[in-house]
Amino acid sequence: MRLEEARVGFAMCGSYCTHAQTMAALERLAPRCGSVIPILSENSGHQDTRFGSNQALRAQLEALCGHPVLDTIVQVEPIGPKHLLDLLIIAPCTGNTLGKLASGITDTAITMAAKAHLRNGGPVLLAPSTNDGLSVSLRNLGDLLSRKGYYCVPFRQDDPVKKPNSLVSRMELIPDAARKALEGEQLQPVLLPSAG
């Protein structure tokens, strides 16, 4: 399937420090897709942080996508039975969400969206952003990448000196990674040189 025809779910977890980069990638991605449905985690959808207010994030997403934000399990559950998506992107994808996806836990809007979409055999594109990516979350990331249907936005250590276990996806690669995931391929290389 071509990205230009695809119905894309764009789900944002916490990792608030990467929201600006993620939104910049979405600004480039949204006009290239058939449609984009925004999804927010319960935390992103209802918490204000030093990086911005939840209302501003919600308004920006709805303006870019032309659809209301979904942020509850009840709202995203129909993704499966109604075949609403061709691709689900989780960006940023926190270590918490990686762990839940790897363990089959569906107690959030984002994990339920993934479960519902995977039920139909659709691809899920993860953009990891987690301070424990090279420690406890590494096994979850490896587990997901070994499963059918999961793809990753290439990532790197963002600060190997001060945060040696931290991994962050190159959010600007989301459009290219999305095209590849729709073709059933992983954008390469997955591991990029560190930022520092």
Side-chain angles (χ1 to χ4, degrees), residues 111-196:
T111 55
M112 177 56 80
K115 177 181 179 179
H117 182 58
L118 286 165
R119 156 192 156 155
N120 298 330
V124 175
L125 177 63
L126 306 173
S129 179
T130 176
N131 286 327
D132 63 3
L134 288 178
S135 57
V136 71
S137 286
L138 184 59
R139 67 175 170 226
N140 296 322
L141 182 57
D143 183 5
L144 291 168
L145 284 176
S146 69
R147 293 187 197 178
K148 183 179 178 184
Y150 281 101
Y151 303 89
C152 219
V153 177
F155 52 83
R156 65 183 181 184
Q157 288 179 275
D158 57 306
D159 188 347
V161 175
K162 294 180 183 173
K163 300 188 298 178
N165 292 321
S166 182
L167 292 178
V168 176
S169 284
R170 296 280 304 273
M171 299 303 178
E172 69 272 19
L173 296 177
I174 288 174
D176 292 336
R179 283 188 191 281
K180 284 291 191 182
L182 283 166
E183 296 168 2
E185 296 180 23
Q186 170 63 53
L187 181 64
Q188 297 290 346
V190 179
L191 299 173
L192 301 171
S194 71

Side-chain angles (χ1 to χ4, degrees), residues 26-119:
L26 179 57
E27 286 175 7
R28 291 185 19 249
L29 176 73
R32 301 178 189 180
C33 299
S35 64
V36 179
I37 297 174
I39 302 166
L40 284 175
S41 70
E42 286 76 357
N43 289 334
S44 291
H46 298 283
Q47 293 180 351
D48 295 334
T49 72
R50 63 188 171 102
F51 299 101
S53 75
N54 68 78
Q55 289 301 321
L57 176 62
R58 185 179 297 269
Q60 189 177 9
L61 280 169
E62 290 181 349
L64 271 173
C65 301
H67 289 280
V69 167
L70 307 180
D71 63 1
T72 68
I73 289 174
V74 171
Q75 289 173 323
V76 301
E77 186 274 334
I79 286 171
K82 292 187 177 180
H83 294 267
L84 297 180
L85 303 178
D86 300 303
L87 171 66
L88 175 65
I89 300 171
I90 304 176
C93 184
T94 60
N96 184 52
T97 296
L98 287 172
K100 289 183 177 192
L101 291 171
S103 300
I105 298 170
T106 54
D107 63 351
T108 68
I110 290 181
T111 55
M112 177 56 80
K115 177 181 179 179
H117 182 58
L118 286 165
R119 156 192 156 155

